[in-house]
Structures are given as structure tokens and as C-alpha cells.
Amino acid sequence: MADFVFRANIAHYKELLETETDARKIETLRKLLAEEEGKLAQWLAKNPQPPAKE
């Protein structure tokens, strides 16, 4: 469940990108989004998820 923060940040950045019009803010948001996606990928690589129970 520790990946919740990464996923929440990613969703938040994507939401902000949908409405932002300032070019500098868009650039910053894209950078933050890429960083957060990278952090999530690294975390998932180190902490494999168990298969979902049916």
C-alpha cells in the first residue's frame, strides 16, 4: 500500500495538466509527473506485488 502516495501524486499531476495553461507550470508539472512515475517504477521493481486473490 506504500505505492499509494506515488499513484496519488501521479493522478494529481495529470489532473492539473488537464487545466493548466501557463507554459512554465506545464513544464514543471510534466517534470514532476515523470519523476513520480520513475519513483513508482523503481518502487514496484523492488517491491513486487503479490498476485490478486480471487
Side-chain angles (χ1 to χ4, degrees):
M1 209 55 173
D3 61 327
F4 171 78
V5 174
F6 299 124
R7 294 182 193 278
N9 286 342
I10 289 168
H12 181 66
Y13 295 144
K14 286 181 178 181
E15 187 177 305
L16 291 173
L17 280 168
E18 290 177 9
T19 58
E20 187 56 62
T21 57
D22 183 277
R24 287 186 186 153
K25 289 182 181 179
I26 290 171
E27 182 181 344
T28 300
L29 287 169
R30 286 183 178 157
K31 179 183 173 191
L32 292 170
L33 176 60
E35 288 176 5
E36 206 67 16
E37 288 174 335
K39 290 177 189 178
L40 176 61
Q42 288 178 347
W43 189 89
L44 290 173
K46 292 179 182 178
N47 302 285
Q49 301 296 312
K53 295 182 180 178
E54 293 182 14

